[in-house]
Amino acid sequence: MIEPKDVSAVILAGGLGSRLAEETSVRPKPLVEVGGRPIIWHIMKIFSGFGVRNFVICLGYKGHMIKEYFANYFLYQSDVTIDIGGKMTFHTVQAEPWSVTLIDTGEHTMTGGRIRRVGAYLPLDRPFFMTYGDGVSDVPIDKLLAFHLAHGRKATVTAVRPRARFGALDLNGSEVTGFREKLDTEG
């Protein structure tokens, strides 16, 4: 039986993040901080809480910053002695036991192209998870995998229906024919 620990998570981290322009002009959206940690860290913590330890990150826009983040992560999470001659001794390590593969998939590559470009880094004999670099959710990863395996499909998609914030217009072409208040059950 395949378990979450046997499956990799692909994270699409290459988009421009235009809706967060004030933040993403200086860093890629997955590195925007929430609660003092980058969004991508929160995503990975969610997956690792279910046993997923292998991550493949599809880089694009400002991908070098994500590489720098992970290149320094272990160092920043450790007590270390540095011999300026080139030797480092790590003492207490607080870093998670993750394997992170960082692949430059192109700055303008679309979703399917990014996944195709990281295919060589994914085992052919098992499924993989895929999420976006801002895909923080409370999906039970173990149950999602079990559902996917039970149904024998090539892909399983999770989605949310956002709560309605406003009423809705009824239109006939460009003519407004009615207005419906949002329902109490919609938010």
Side-chain angles (χ1 to χ4, degrees), residues 33-56:
E33 290 192 0
V34 175
R37 298 281 189 152
I39 293 171
I40 198 166
W41 179 87
H42 291 283
I43 295 167
M44 294 169 74
K45 284 295 278 188
I46 291 166
F47 276 95
S48 69
F50 289 95
V52 177
R53 300 285 185 263
N54 297 309
F55 297 91
V56 178

Side-chain angles (χ1 to χ4, degrees), residues 17-168:
S18 55
R19 288 184 300 251
L20 292 175
E22 61 279 349
E23 286 285 332
T24 58
S25 63
V26 294
R27 76 193 63 154
K29 185 165 43 171
L31 291 184
V32 171
E33 290 192 0
V34 175
R37 298 281 189 152
I39 293 171
I40 198 166
W41 179 87
H42 291 283
I43 295 167
M44 294 169 74
K45 284 295 278 188
I46 291 166
F47 276 95
S48 69
F50 289 95
V52 177
R53 300 285 185 263
N54 297 309
F55 297 91
V56 178
I57 315 294
C58 302
L59 303 174
Y61 175 72
K62 296 189 185 283
H64 68 283
M65 295 179 77
I66 296 173
K67 283 184 178 180
E68 289 169 0
Y69 173 77
F70 285 107
N72 292 315
Y73 185 77
F74 186 79
L75 177 63
Y76 292 163
Q77 300 300 314
S78 305
D79 292 336
V80 62
T81 299
I82 300 174
D83 176 347
I84 302 303
K87 180 181 173 190
M88 279 199 275
T89 304
F90 290 92
H91 306 292
T92 305
V93 178
Q94 302 292 324
E96 291 80 359
W98 297 339
S99 173
V100 182
T101 303
L102 303 157
I103 306 299
D104 183 358
T105 57
E107 193 162 317
H108 302 289
T109 308
M110 303 300 283
T111 301
R114 290 186 192 284
I115 294 169
R116 185 178 309 113
R117 290 182 185 183
V118 300
Y121 302 94
L122 298 168
L124 296 174
D125 63 340
R126 62 187 92 128
F128 61 90
F129 295 106
M130 190 282 295
T131 190
Y132 291 94
D134 60 354
V136 177
S137 71
D138 62 353
V139 173
I141 300 300
D142 55 344
K143 291 179 181 172
L144 176 63
L145 179 61
F147 177 89
H148 174 74
L149 294 172
H151 288 82
R153 303 293 181 161
K154 290 187 179 196
T156 299
V157 176
T158 58
V160 296
R161 179 173 295 177
R163 297 181 73 166
R165 293 177 30 198
F166 310 103

